[in-house]
Amino acid sequence: MSDGTVLSDTAADVVKETLAECRAATLPALRDAVGELHPRLARISAYHLGWCEPDGRPTGVHAGKMLRAALAVLAARAFGAGTRTAVPGAVATELVHNFSLLHDDLMDADELRRGRPTAWVVFGAGPAVLAGDALLSKALRMTAEMKGTPEQPAGRTLTEAVSTIIRGQAADLGLDGFPVDRVGADDYLAACAKTSGLLGGCVAVGASLADAPAAGVRTLQAAAWDLGVAWQVADDVESIWGDPAASGKPAFGDLRRDKRTYPVIAALRSGTAAGSRLAGRLSSSGARGEDELAELARLVDEAGGRAEAERTAREHLDRAVHLLGKTGGDPVALDGLAALFRHVLDRHGRRTPAPAATPAMRGAAR
Amino acid sequence: MSDGTVLSDTAADVVKETLAECRAATLPALRDAVGELHPRLARISAYHLGWCEPDGRPTGVHAGKMLRAALAVLAARAFGAGTRTAVPGAVATELVHNFSLLHDDLMDADELRRGRPTAWVVFGAGPAVLAGDALLSKALRMTAEMKGTPEQPAGRTLTEAVSTIIRGQAADLGLDGFPVDRVGADDYLAACAKTSGLLGGCVAVGASLADAPAAGVRTLQAAAWDLGVAWQVADDVESIWGDPAASGKPAFGDLRRDKRTYPVIAALRSGTAAGSRLAGRLSSSGARGEDELAELARLVDEAGGRAEAERTAREHLDRAVHLLGKTGGDPVALDGLAALFRHVLDRHGRRTPAPAATPAMRGAAR
């Protein structure tokens, strides 16, 4: 099934329509939730979400596609529930996502997000941290009110996802400057939990709210976990070779901060001459100029790190889509989810496998 | 009842014994909870709690009295439950407390806590923030498993307390450099929620776990709320006139950061000549030397700000103790709580009212 074709234009349009529809259904409740925070924290959160300028003037737009909300809504649909059933879960996942972005931007010292200064740059570290705390706290209050299946209460699902992403972020912090001779795939996969834990939480909360059988919830969660790994690996590729203008982030970001991303780890463990030269250069400390960063990127590529990363991302996406077909949910709705999964990887501008593991795309995903 | 006498030595000894006993009952479960975090975050948390050095070597001690755990345990006892019933709530409140300390130290740029460098100074802002996130997440997972009264589930009580303290901290951030001609008691009381919200949550979670009637829980929570205001005001006095050696914090801390604390607000609103001079000096910006800070402190005192703060702290403590007697709980256990309330204010080295509102101290609190 990994024939390397991209989503057809029609399929991509259907996904975009679905995303827009899920966003429209969720955004008012998300605005309400943010509006209930202390005004100072509501302002910071609204700026971060792209809703307003630093001084509070509305922008009239929302930054981001609200992918996590869509995952929750589509997961609920896969088990027969309507959009409205999923909205509280969808809002809570978006709150958790933005809590983690607010804190991660500070942790990673990222100064730009979607081309705008990050919240900690604009409002200071303390207020940005507190706004993140407020979003998390609000999410967990919302989840505490949620119902779900008895074996898999929706609230507990999301509370566990929060622990998982924090654990993943802790592992991720350890990847900065990790000794080149010791870093391995396990360290990397532990860090992937920061992405996978939440994507798994999104589909699990949606499915739980739809009273899905526990086995179906678990399989769906495993599928989203694989999607998260694929995404993380693809993100690493983008961080080195992506177009800064398109990503809104500085070039060579991860190499600049000496982070052991997937392509770098694969290159270091390739047993190639380029991999050895890379190890030697990464072992020397000190700030690196643009030329040095470009040379590092070239060595990672020459050692096969980029190709290996692209293959790994595809494999995890394939497995994710395959698992979707095993959840026992509604095939049409699952096709919509599969298309969304592929779209997530497409957005990185990479070629992703054509639909295959679940019944052929039928333009479903209402 | 505000006759100005301090707790008797015997009563103080009983409180200390109670605190030690509650700490001993709670500490193992707190250690377990911290031990379940990612090792990197467990280390940061353990350092913050005084359990280890930055490199992980154990200190063999716990920093702090675990007052919040004691409040939860004594509240449960007041409604007939044993210590064991209250322990999950007691641990969760300590986790929430330490989450907020980790984040607040960064927010307030405090470099010392109990005479040691704060966690963000030792481990960096990002890791310290993440450790705080992990403690909060762990607390909320624990509360999600808790039972309580149907009207007042213990978990929801604590989740709401978290929202309240975040809101209070947001108001508190606004007190830094607030315009001198506009700041008032309402702004101050909103910020007190950062302390009162959690103290209220502590007794509410303990009482809820003991299946206390909803009215009793609410009254107990109101009592702890007043205790929190008293404490906050007393803390403000200590921050200006306290002994840095005893508090482990720099002298004039709040004046240095141009914060509108209770004594300052009272002085500004006193209508005195000293208050006007204070307003003039506070309106000029720029860093202040030690002489200038000492002069500011003198003006606050001369304008009656210190006396007014001490009176306010006493009044709130009186009301807190009075409310304890209205909760309908066991009088002996409530005496123990009242003694603990007074002890909290005593620790600031100030004179606090003698026991009176509830039945006379009987050295109980078991």
Side-chain angles (χ1 to χ4, degrees):
Chain A
M1 64 172 280
S2 299
D3 67 9
T5 55
V6 297
L7 274 183
S8 72
D9 286 352
T10 318
D13 284 346
V14 172
V15 171
K16 283 179 192 159
E17 220 170 90
T18 307
L19 278 167
E21 184 209 335
C22 292
R23 188 175 54 204
T26 313
L27 200 48
L30 182 62
R31 284 188 178 275
D32 287 350
V34 171
E36 285 166 21
L37 306 182
H38 185 284
R40 180 169 291 115
L41 306 182
R43 162 86 61 91
I44 298 171
S45 303
Y47 169 80
H48 164 77
L49 287 158
W51 301 347
C52 71
E53 304 296 346
D55 62 7
R57 272 177 303 134
T59 58
V61 298
H62 170 85
K65 289 192 295 283
M66 295 184 65
L67 167 70
R68 287 152 196 82
L71 286 173
V73 170
L74 296 189
R77 286 179 185 169
F79 290 94
T83 302
R84 203 154 57 169
T85 304
V87 163
V91 170
T93 61
E94 288 290 334
L95 291 170
V96 169
H97 175 51
N98 286 290
F99 138 74
S100 87
L101 292 183
L102 280 165
H103 285 194
D104 292 359
D105 281 343
L106 176 70
M107 260 169 250
D108 299 340
D110 281 334
E111 295 181 4
L112 283 179
R113 170 167 296 281
R114 301 193 190 94
R116 302 165 88 209
T118 43
W120 69 270
V121 170
V122 174
F123 299 98
V129 167
L130 193 62
D133 293 344
L135 294 182
L136 174 60
S137 157
K138 183 73 193 167
L140 294 175
R141 282 187 76 176
M142 288 184 69
T143 60
E145 317 273 299
M146 280 175 208
K147 301 230 179 314
T149 66
E151 304 96 332
Q152 189 76 290
R156 204 180 64 201
T157 298
L158 204 59
T159 316
E160 281 172 10
V162 170
S163 290
T164 305
I165 64 175
I166 290 170
R167 183 171 276 270
Q169 180 68 11
D172 190 74
L173 286 178
L175 295 180
D176 290 4
F178 202 101
V180 292
D181 54 342
R182 283 175 31 217
V183 70
D186 285 356
D187 303 300
Y188 183 83
L189 286 173
C192 281
K194 71 181 175 163
T195 304
S196 290
L198 184 53
L199 298 190
C202 292
V203 293
V205 80
S208 295
L209 288 170
D211 283 329
V217 175
R218 276 196 302 274
T219 307
L220 196 52
Q221 197 161 9
W225 188 279
D226 270 312
L227 174 66
V229 175
W231 189 359
Q232 194 54 57
V233 174
D235 224 41
D236 291 351
V237 173
E238 184 177 87
S239 171
I240 300 179
W241 294 282
D243 175 8
S247 69
K249 293 178 181 175
F252 304 128
D254 287 337
L255 283 178
R256 205 179 291 274
R257 76 168 63 120
D258 211 20
K259 181 158 198 155
R260 305 294 174 248
T261 59
Y262 197 90
V264 172
I265 295 172
L268 288 172
R269 302 177 72 84
S270 63
T272 61
S276 300
R277 287 211 303 284
L278 177 70
R281 283 174 177 260
L282 288 180
S283 298
S284 78
S285 57
R288 308 183 198 280
E290 300 303 303
D291 286 354
E292 167 80 354
L293 293 170
E295 172 63 8
L296 290 178
R298 205 191 55 73
L299 286 173
V300 173
D301 202 348
E302 190 184 327
R306 179 178 186 169
E308 169 70 13
E310 288 173 343
R311 183 165 54 244
T312 299
R314 268 197 307 276
E315 277 172 12
H316 279 275
L317 179 61
D318 286 352
R319 193 160 71 183
V321 172
H322 176 72
L323 283 170
L324 281 182
K326 305 275 183 191
T327 56
D330 170 65
V332 175
L334 288 173
D335 274 0
L337 255 180
L340 181 59
F341 277 26
R342 289 193 186 87
H343 177 78
V344 166
L345 276 274
D346 265 358
R347 108 188 158 111
H348 290 276
R350 269 177 312 283
R351 296 169 69 76
T352 52
T358 62
M361 196 81 45
R362 283 184 290 260
R366 278 130 318 207
Chain B
M1 62 174 281
S2 301
D3 66 11
T5 56
V6 297
L7 274 184
S8 73
D9 286 352
T10 317
D13 285 346
V14 171
V15 171
K16 283 180 193 158
E17 219 171 89
T18 307
L19 278 167
E21 184 209 336
C22 292
R23 187 174 55 205
T26 313
L27 200 48
L30 183 61
R31 284 189 179 276
D32 287 349
V34 171
E36 285 165 23
L37 305 183
H38 186 284
R40 179 168 294 116
L41 307 182
R43 162 85 60 88
I44 298 171
S45 303
Y47 169 80
H48 164 77
L49 287 157
W51 300 347
C52 72
E53 304 296 347
D55 62 8
R57 273 176 303 134
T59 58
V61 298
H62 171 85
K65 289 192 296 283
M66 296 183 65
L67 167 70
R68 286 153 196 83
L71 286 173
V73 169
L74 295 190
R77 287 180 186 169
F79 290 95
T83 302
R84 203 154 57 170
T85 304
V87 163
V91 170
T93 61
E94 287 291 334
L95 291 171
V96 169
H97 175 52
N98 286 289
F99 138 72
S100 86
L101 291 182
L102 279 165
H103 285 194
D104 292 359
D105 282 343
L106 176 70
M107 259 169 253
D108 299 340
D110 280 333
E111 296 181 1
L112 283 178
R113 172 166 296 281
R114 301 192 191 95
R116 303 164 88 209
T118 42
W120 69 270
V121 170
V122 174
F123 299 97
V129 168
L130 193 62
D133 292 345
L135 294 182
L136 174 60
S137 157
K138 182 74 192 166
L140 293 176
R141 282 186 76 176
M142 289 184 69
T143 60
E145 316 273 301
M146 279 177 210
K147 300 228 177 318
T149 66
E151 303 95 333
Q152 189 75 296
R156 205 181 62 200
T157 298
L158 204 59
T159 317
E160 281 171 10
V162 170
S163 290
T164 305
I165 64 174
I166 290 170
R167 184 171 276 271
Q169 180 68 11
D172 189 76
L173 286 178
L175 294 180
D176 291 5
F178 202 101
V180 293
D181 54 342
R182 281 175 32 215
V183 70
D186 285 355
D187 304 300
Y188 183 84
L189 287 174
C192 280
K194 71 182 175 162
T195 304
S196 290
L198 184 53
L199 298 189
C202 292
V203 293
V205 80
S208 294
L209 288 170
D211 283 328
V217 175
R218 276 196 303 274
T219 307
L220 196 53
Q221 198 161 8
W225 188 279
D226 269 312
L227 174 67
V229 175
W231 188 358
Q232 195 53 57
V233 174
D235 225 42
D236 290 350
V237 173
E238 185 177 87
S239 169
I240 300 179
W241 293 282
D243 175 9
S247 69
K249 294 179 180 175
F252 304 127
D254 287 336
L255 283 178
R256 206 179 290 273
R257 77 167 63 120
D258 211 20
K259 181 159 197 157
R260 305 294 174 250
T261 60
Y262 196 90
V264 172
I265 295 172
L268 287 171
R269 302 177 72 83
S270 64
T272 62
S276 300
R277 287 212 303 285
L278 178 69
R281 283 174 178 259
L282 289 180
S283 299
S284 77
S285 57
R288 306 182 199 281
E290 300 303 304
D291 287 354
E292 168 78 357
L293 292 169
E295 172 63 9
L296 290 178
R298 205 191 55 72
L299 285 173
V300 174
D301 202 348
E302 190 184 325
R306 178 179 188 168
E308 170 69 13
E310 287 173 344
R311 183 165 55 244
T312 299
R314 269 197 307 277
E315 278 172 13
H316 280 276
L317 179 61
D318 287 352
R319 192 160 71 183
V321 172
H322 176 73
L323 283 170
L324 282 182
K326 304 277 183 191
T327 57
D330 170 65
V332 174
L334 289 173
D335 274 1
L337 255 180
L340 181 59
F341 277 26
R342 288 192 186 88
H343 177 77
V344 167
L345 276 274
D346 264 0
R347 105 184 163 114
H348 289 276
R350 269 176 312 283
R351 298 168 67 76
T352 52
T358 63
M361 196 81 47
R362 283 184 291 262
R366 215 145 322 254

